[in-house]
Amino acid sequence: MAGIYIHIPFCKTKCNYCDFYRITDIARIPVYLKALEKEIEIRKEYLEGDEIESIYIGGGTPSLLGMDQINSLLYAVDKTHNIIRNCEITFEANPDDLSASFLGRLKYHTPINRLSIGIQSFFDADLTLLNRRHRALQSVECLEQAANAGFRNINMDLIYGIPGMTAERWEANLQQIPYDKISHLSAYHLTVEPDTPLHRMVETGHIRPVDEETSRVQYILLCRETGKQQFQHYEISNFCRDGFYSIHNSGYWKGRKYLGLGASAHSYDLNSRQWNVSDVKVYIKAVQDGGAAFKYERINDTMRFNEYVMVSLRTIWGVSLKKINSVFGSEIVAEFIKNASRFLDAGQMICIDGIYTIPEASWLISDYIVSSLMLMPKHNK
Ligand code: SF4
């Protein structure tokens, strides 16, 4: 099984914290989509005929597309790949684009069966600071309308650790979530990325990033509130109801192959990674000329092991000694067991039947645990 990611790098305006590749020149969308369809054709062999169990249209802002444009892209994928029945097809959307009419057309005139909505906050103060285009009222309304349109698999994104956000406001955010309308929640701590307006606001002293204790308290509130609502915390930043795991993102965490299409999209075929150029003009030109503009990296055993440990320990599925043994050999198993022992002794890791996981209470220090378990380059093969 494999997944396909399609990047739509256009936004009407730029959010203050965002460092994804995106541009505001939306007049280029039609020519970009033509190039995307061509790239789909050019790279149809990348996944070697593997069945496709998830397609993710992300951005940027895919909700700037019309139904015909969405269907053309999906038709091009369908023509070139072996898509399974009930394939998860996720569409990222911004609340300000989600009118009842848009949602109805999306539900009944396209095969999209999962929505991922960038809510981020139910408070205007946060949305203004982040320079999001929507207001708090739209956050509430679009979730209601998406459910009314018939979507049963809805993810919403929230951000915590926003400067000025108190524990009370974060708790109020969590309590405003319409848990009966959504199946999945992704909640990320705000990161102040270099070269963003938010970074400049921090540098000039206009805002102060939250301290570690505030982050910790907000994370604990997040775990507590979602737990009360019977949402399963299955990845550090992801929660779902009734087994509605994100099939697409779980594929990344389980080391599945994926094809990334569009400017700045990444691909992975188990032996290498490649990432398309982060420049719409260069991307379009390269594809129009029948080629591609990308960088490429071969993955050696050390990288493969380190990535396996890093992504697996973010999830409830954890690291399997059996898998380490079959892929990397008994010497690496012994080293992993030795390095993990102090975390087991401290209760910061758990091992059941040869599966190592980090319990929820220790996910906050997972970066430290993971870095202690990684191999040094001497294990290159
Ligand atoms: S809508 Fe998303 S991709 Fe676009 S600027 Fe905002 S955070 Fe970035």
Side-chain angles (χ1 to χ4, degrees), residues 320-332:
S320 154
L321 290 185
K322 208 163 144 194
K323 174 153 181 179
I324 298 181
N325 194 38
S326 68
V327 180
F328 305 100
S330 56
E331 193 194 326
I332 304 298

Side-chain angles (χ1 to χ4, degrees), residues 230-270:
Q230 317 290 323
F231 269 52
Q232 185 184 12
H233 193 178
Y234 74 103
E235 193 268 352
I236 292 184
S237 306
N238 286 280
F239 306 77
C240 73
R241 178 164 52 74
D242 301 336
F244 274 84
Y245 308 113
S246 161
I247 294 173
H248 191 78
N249 289 335
S250 298
Y252 296 141
W253 302 321
K254 291 178 177 177
R256 187 193 63 175
K257 285 193 224 176
Y258 56 89
L259 167 65
L261 299 156
S264 81
H266 290 218
S267 303
Y268 171 64
D269 69 357
L270 305 184

Side-chain angles (χ1 to χ4, degrees), residues 10-11 13-15 17-18 20 22 59-61 94 132-133:
F10 299 92
C11 294
T13 53
K14 292 184 180 178
C15 303
Y17 58 100
C18 178
F20 296 143
R22 76 280 183 248
T61 313
N94 278 7
R132 297 290 304 186
R133 287 186 298 282

